[in-house]
Amino acid sequence: MAVPAPRPGSAPAAVGTGADDPLARAVWRLRSRGCWLDAAALLEPHAARQPSAALHRAALLVERCMFTAAGWAEAEDALRTAEALAGDDGERGAAACERGQLAYTATVLGVRDRADEARSALGRAAALLAPGTPGRPLLDFRRGLLAERLADSPDAARAAYRRAHAGATTHDDPLLLSFTWRHLAGLALRDGELAEARHGFTESLRIREELGFLVGTAPALAALAEAAPEDEAARLRTEAARLFRLMGGVPTWLAAQLPLEEPAGNGEPAG
């Protein structure tokens, strides 16, 4: 059974949520609930010989690192397999994009400084993935992350996010749009453009709720709270904290932004 190629534009790259294939649907359901190891296990029988399955599996395990700050060895092993099986520029470029994301994640989470590796890998991906190809919007988004978080260059980040946003629209990738909306809104908030920020954060949350991307909903709620009036912000953070607990404390980096103490009374989260 051939595994359908992953949607390279999905952020972070994995399966398209609208795929007709039963395996793709099963992988998406697990991924959207933060069950990356279970999702990767479904692909494992195919990943030893199919480049698309190997890349898909690697992308899931790289995403797990981003959300949990764990599983680095598994992600590295899966990436090496994907890199070894890649047979054309599109596959090699997608693998390099995942390599860059893993290195970026390790750097930004303070696990190990791999910034040079991240830049090199994403640069290699840019040489392999031509503008207009399906994998390019995700690459543009990740280059924006490097510009914003590692180079502190908001103008370069904004330009990259806008290219990614346009590409995600062209290639009908709503999950990537949820990421580009959120990061463009973050830059708008940084510039004091409150209405623009609120709109972007709202769109990001709406898309994630519509897709059922549960593991990404708490971060979207917390982001919207940053641009909301005080009373609404408290409600949004309380709901984000409820979801954060429901998901077992992922993404780990969100903990510092949320009111995580259980409310008094019956022990149920408020809101």
Side-chain angles (χ1 to χ4, degrees):
M1 173 182 173
V3 176
R7 292 276 300 277
S10 295
V15 67
T17 60
D20 293 330
D21 183 84
L23 177 58
R25 290 198 301 271
V27 169
W28 166 255
R29 284 194 298 269
L30 290 166
R31 177 202 177 193
S32 66
R33 289 158 176 76
C35 302
W36 297 280
L37 285 176
D38 292 336
L42 292 181
L43 294 171
E44 191 168 4
H46 312 279
R49 62 186 184 278
Q50 294 181 22
S52 61
L55 176 61
H56 193 161
R57 184 170 181 273
L60 289 168
L61 295 175
V62 169
E63 181 173 276
R64 177 190 176 215
C65 292
M66 183 183 72
F67 277 83
T68 69
W72 305 97
E74 293 94 333
E76 291 283 357
D77 287 346
L79 261 178
R80 283 192 288 269
T81 298
E83 290 163 344
L85 288 176
D88 58 34
D89 283 354
E91 291 167 353
R92 284 187 286 268
C97 190
E98 293 303 325
R99 170 70 61 189
Q101 176 69 2
L102 185 63
Y104 161 80
T105 300
T107 303
V108 80
L109 293 183
V111 175
R112 182 157 65 91
D113 186 351
R114 298 173 61 179
D116 288 344
E117 181 186 352
R119 294 186 187 97
S120 175
L122 294 187
R124 186 163 65 253
L128 293 165
L129 298 172
T133 57
R136 190 70 187 216
L138 177 60
L139 172 62
D140 287 334
F141 172 73
R142 288 175 170 173
R143 297 179 89 182
L145 291 177
L146 260 65
E148 180 182 2
R149 302 291 174 80
L150 301 187
D152 193 23
S153 179
D155 290 341
R158 184 179 292 105
Y161 293 150
R162 284 175 175 168
R163 289 194 300 271
H165 193 87
T169 301
T170 298
H171 292 285
D172 189 25
D173 189 345
L175 186 57
L176 180 53
L177 283 172
S178 82
F179 282 82
T180 55
W181 273 122
R182 179 182 167 193
H183 284 266
L184 285 167
L187 292 176
L189 186 64
R190 177 173 174 168
D191 291 341
E193 300 292 341
L194 193 61
E196 182 180 345
R198 185 174 175 82
H199 174 69
F201 289 139
T202 300
E203 285 298 296
S204 178
L205 176 61
R206 177 188 63 79
I207 291 169
R208 292 182 180 195
E209 289 179 335
E210 288 179 356
L211 291 177
F213 189 49
L214 187 61
V215 75
T217 301
L221 287 163
L224 180 57
E226 295 299 311
E230 185 175 347
D231 289 349
E232 183 183 355
R235 179 187 63 79
L236 290 166
R237 290 192 181 99
T238 298
E239 176 62 11
R242 186 188 69 81
L243 283 174
F244 179 82
R245 291 191 294 268
L246 178 67
M247 298 306 297
V250 294
T252 55
W253 43 262
L254 191 60
Q257 304 175 36
L258 297 176
L260 297 179
E261 294 81 6
E262 293 284 352
N266 62 7
E268 292 297 320

